[in-house]
């Protein structure tokens, strides 16, 4: 059953409007090893944009650059509408704390999505159902414990006890849902696009120092599409193309159980290995 009390994700991404800036607060429930989970930060920024009185249309694309560590506590969101026309809006958001320098810089595009010709050449990544798979064990990072990960392929081994002679595959296929079920919406898509474990963890089979530097997500469904899907989980695939000189990429897809491609995402991340 869906929770009847405020979901922890909604509490973690809650924002309040100010005179010139919006405010948010980090959540202990969505904490990584040295800072807040980047997906929750991105979703908080997206929530502020979606609740902004000047916002028109639905999220089409969002890029989040994590410029500096975010400390535990309150933060400010300086939101600016850069350009708007009849069919799209371009936004810029700066996250700061205590009047300091920018810690996170985001840009977003909102668009009026109208009926058109539709074609989805991307193949649906078939596999075992959610119910046929076991949940991934809980981890030290609290953000990961807010999600129910069920791996079909690429089940990660973070023990580091048996490093592979050759790098292991960075590919994984899995179901992702909130551990306390919550209907998939634009905010959860934004957050789940960063919920893949670092590809370098899979390739090295070790939990090496890691952090997302820049994340871009493209939305291929709007609120009406998601309401029609009426699901609490997505089928997700992720892979990497290169690890080189302390940085590696990641590309991912988020699908509805009915075979609709909901979002695609790519990121560049720092690692030390």
């Amino acid at each position: 059953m869906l929770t009847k009390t405020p979901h922890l994700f909604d509490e973690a991404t809650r924002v309040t409007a100010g005179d010139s800036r919006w405010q948010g607060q980090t959540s202990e429930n969505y904490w990584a090893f040295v800072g807040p989970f980047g997906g929750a930060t991105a979703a908080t920024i997206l929530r502020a944009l979606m609740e902004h009185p000047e916002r028109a249309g639905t999220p089409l694309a969002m890029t989040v650059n994590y410029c500096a560590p975010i400390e535990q506590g309150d933060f400010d969101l300086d939101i600016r509408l850069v350009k708007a026309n009849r069919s799209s809006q371009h936004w810029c958001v700066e996250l700061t704390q205590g009047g300091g320098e920018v810690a996170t810089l985001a840009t977003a595009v909102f668009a009026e999505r109208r009926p058109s010709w539709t074609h989805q050449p991307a193949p649906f990544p078939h596999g075992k159902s959610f119910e046929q798979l076991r949940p991934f064990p809980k981890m030290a990072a609290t953000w990961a414990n807010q999600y129910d990960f069920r791996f079909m392929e690429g089940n990660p081994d973070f023990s580091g006890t048996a490093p592979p002679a050759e790098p292991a595959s960075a590919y994984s296929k899995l179901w992702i849902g909130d551990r306390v079920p919550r209907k998939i919406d634009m905010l959860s898509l934004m957050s789940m696009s960063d919920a893949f474990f670092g590809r370098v963890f899979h390739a090295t089979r070790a939990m090496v120092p890691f952090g997302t530097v820049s994340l871009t997500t493209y939305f291929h469904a709007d609120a009406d599409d998601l309401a029609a899907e009426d699901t609490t989980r997505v089928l997700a695939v992720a892979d990497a193309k290169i690890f080189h000189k302390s940085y590696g990429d990641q590309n991912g897809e988020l699908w509805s159980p009915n075979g609709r491609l909901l979002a695609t995402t790519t990121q560049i991340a720092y690692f030390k290995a």
Side-chain angles (χ1 to χ4, degrees):
M1 294 176 61
L2 297 180
T3 179
K4 295 182 179 179
T5 58
H7 197 281
L8 288 179
F9 179 75
D10 295 300
E11 291 184 349
T13 58
R14 185 174 59 241
V15 291
T16 55
D19 293 335
S20 59
R21 292 185 176 184
W22 292 53
Q23 287 77 42
Q25 188 176 53
T26 62
S27 169
E28 293 183 358
N29 295 309
Y30 287 84
W31 198 255
F33 292 105
V34 295
F37 166 47
T41 300
T44 303
I45 293 172
L46 183 59
R47 183 185 289 277
L49 289 170
M50 293 183 69
E51 295 182 2
H52 198 284
E54 295 182 45
R55 188 267 296 180
T58 189
L60 186 67
M62 186 166 177
T63 296
V64 184
N65 296 318
Y66 301 94
C67 309
I70 300 174
E71 302 295 332
Q72 192 169 18
D74 298 336
F75 54 78
D76 296 317
L77 299 174
D78 186 356
I79 302 174
R80 182 165 61 96
L81 178 58
V82 178
K83 178 68 175 179
N85 54 42
R86 290 186 299 175
S87 60
S88 65
Q89 291 182 330
H90 298 259
W91 294 85
C92 179
V93 182
E94 295 181 350
L95 185 154
T96 58
Q97 290 183 293
E101 296 182 345
V102 174
T104 303
L105 173 66
T107 59
V109 181
F110 282 69
E112 298 286 351
R113 305 199 68 160
R114 302 178 177 89
S116 71
W117 177 70
T118 297
H119 177 48
Q120 181 182 284
F124 179 62
H126 291 280
K128 290 185 177 180
S129 68
F130 180 85
E131 292 78 11
Q132 291 177 296
L133 300 163
R134 292 183 177 182
F136 191 74
K138 289 191 175 183
M139 302 176 64
T142 60
W143 77 266
N145 298 329
Q146 303 306 329
Y147 290 106
D148 189 347
F149 300 103
R150 303 197 180 194
F151 283 86
M152 283 179 255
E153 298 181 40
N155 196 11
D157 176 4
F158 299 147
S159 65
T161 56
E166 297 292 334
S169 173
Y171 176 83
S172 58
K173 181 196 296 185
L174 68 156
W175 291 98
I176 305 176
D178 292 285
R179 194 169 292 271
V180 176
R182 179 184 181 278
K183 291 285 183 66
I184 297 295
D185 59 11
M186 308 303 292
L187 299 178
S188 52
L189 277 183
M190 183 70 248
S191 185
M192 289 176 180
S193 72
D194 191 40
F196 298 102
F197 299 146
R199 297 298 93 193
V200 69
F201 299 163
H202 291 261
T204 64
R205 293 183 182 173
M207 193 79 75
V208 302
F210 170 90
T212 300
V213 177
S214 183
L215 164 73
T216 296
T217 299
Y218 299 108
F219 301 95
H220 307 300
D222 61 17
D224 291 339
D225 295 326
L226 295 179
E229 292 297 324
D230 191 23
T231 183
T232 59
R233 60 186 70 108
V234 295
L235 178 57
V237 294
D239 206 348
K241 294 181 174 63
I242 187 170
F243 305 95
H244 181 63
K245 290 187 175 179
S246 302
Y247 290 90
D249 76 320
Q250 175 180 278
N251 52 85
E253 302 170 355
L254 302 177
W255 295 78
S256 78
N258 291 328
R260 180 193 289 270
L261 183 58
L262 302 176
T264 50
T265 182
T266 185
Q267 68 173 253
I268 191 79
Y270 164 81
F271 67 87
K272 186 176 180 180

